[in-house]
Amino acid sequence: MLAVQGLAKRFQLPRQKGAAPATRDPRGHDGWFHAVRDVSFSCAPGEVLGLLGPNGAGKTTTLRLLSTALKADAGKALVNGVDLLQQPLLARQQIGFLSGSTGLYGRLTARENVEYFGRLHGMDSAHLKRRCDYLFELLQMQDYGSKRADQLSTGMKQKCAIARTVVHEPQIVILDEPTTGLDVMSSKILLDFIASYKALRIPLVFSTHHLHEVEKLCDRVCIINHGKTAFNGTVDELRHLGGSADLYDAFIGVINRED
């Protein structure tokens, strides 16, 4: 179970001259930019939660806080009783996090990259081999497992990054826009992979701008706008609040209500 309550993070603003107040983001004041002001949501075992919001709303910052890459200024984030914010070292053992900039070591093969991160998590050789075999088959990576990462296509690299994200069998999976830039076939494989986590009873959170992915996969939705939770509920509740059966129209309806 993942439970996020009142998450907040601010960054100090650089001094600027001549900035017109009308063009400033409302979250910037008193010398600080409040990227995340009050974000709350939950994701139960076997649920997939879609994190939505306009560009710059605070989605990526929220996910980086949950991954412990950033330290929150306020709030709580609990995974099976472990506070991610207060016990980051213990939390990292339970989290699989894919950021928009998750990189690979170009001179290592696809398989070597995944194995390397498995070893960092203390996996023994036999278990690591079985786990890699399983992931490479699930993500259809067998044909290029021995190919260097710097020679892989965008879709191949993303699948490899997904495999290294979950090789240690995390108790929660967090993916930041995992299908961005992928072709239809690669996107389908990754979406099927996300769907498979429902059967594993592992909470999975992913951010996306593609609402057809939300409609296909998600049990719950959290919409962030201007650093705050604008909506937190089921897909059907989103349709009701947004006043439309079409998710795109419902999403815009919720954002317009907030604005």
Side-chain angles (χ1 to χ4, degrees):
M1 177 75 178
L2 169 66
V4 177
Q5 303 170 359
L7 212 57
K9 178 64 179 178
R10 65 179 186 171
F11 301 93
Q12 192 161 21
L13 288 170
R15 292 179 179 272
Q16 294 182 346
K17 294 182 180 180
T23 65
R24 291 176 180 165
D25 189 299
R27 289 174 288 171
H29 54 83
D30 301 326
W32 295 89
F33 181 74
H34 298 261
V36 174
R37 296 187 288 174
D38 184 8
V39 169
S40 301
F41 59 83
S42 63
C43 187
E47 285 187 342
V48 174
L49 180 138
L51 194 65
L52 308 178
N55 287 332
K59 302 186 300 299
T60 293
T61 301
T62 296
L63 296 184
R64 293 187 70 195
L65 290 170
L66 296 181
S67 75
T68 74
L70 291 176
K71 185 177 180 180
D73 296 322
K76 291 183 178 181
L78 303 175
V79 175
N80 300 330
V82 176
D83 192 326
L84 305 183
L85 311 182
Q86 299 298 321
Q87 299 174 278
L89 293 180
L90 180 59
R92 287 170 195 161
Q93 299 173 12
Q94 302 195 43
I95 298 171
F97 175 61
L98 175 76
S99 74
S101 58
T102 298
L104 302 171
Y105 293 103
R107 294 187 177 183
L108 298 181
T109 66
R111 178 134 188 160
E112 287 170 343
N113 268 281
V114 179
E115 289 175 341
Y116 174 71
F117 284 93
R119 293 191 195 99
L120 287 181
H121 283 284
M123 298 177 69
D124 65 70
S125 297
H127 184 198
L128 180 56
K129 182 182 183 305
R130 290 193 300 271
R131 182 65 175 163
C132 285
D133 289 344
Y134 168 77
L135 289 173
F136 273 63
E137 181 176 357
L138 183 66
L139 292 167
Q140 298 181 27
M141 298 170 56
Q142 305 98 318
D143 292 343
Y144 55 88
S146 59
K147 195 172 183 178
R148 277 176 41 158
D150 58 9
Q151 298 173 344
L152 299 179
S153 68
T154 299
M156 292 174 180
K157 287 179 180 177
Q158 187 71 329
K159 287 194 281 187
C160 188
I162 291 279
R164 56 155 278 195
T165 296
V166 300
V167 65
H168 60 296
E169 298 177 277
Q171 296 304 299
I172 177 172
V173 177
I174 301 171
L175 309 175
D176 190 5
E177 299 187 14
T179 61
T180 297
L182 301 187
D183 61 30
V184 173
M185 294 304 297
S186 295
S187 294
K188 175 68 165 57
I189 291 169
L190 288 184
L191 293 176
D192 288 346
F193 171 80
I194 291 172
S196 72
Y197 267 74
K198 291 186 179 185
L200 297 177
R201 305 289 297 165
I202 293 175
L204 188 147
V205 178
F206 78 102
S207 66
T208 182
H209 290 292
H210 305 300
L211 294 183
H212 66 276
E213 297 177 356
V214 173
E215 191 161 29
K216 179 180 177 63
L217 294 173
C218 292
D219 304 285
R220 299 185 62 82
V221 174
C222 175
I223 297 177
I224 299 176
N225 193 27
H226 298 311
K228 292 184 176 182
T229 298
F231 172 82
N232 176 33
T234 67
V235 175
D236 286 340
E237 288 169 345
L238 172 58
R239 289 191 176 100
H240 178 74
L241 182 63
S244 176
D246 182 271
L247 280 187
Y248 284 86
D249 290 339
F251 170 79
I252 292 171
V254 169
I255 295 298
N256 287 341
R257 284 165 59 101
E258 290 293 312
D259 291 339

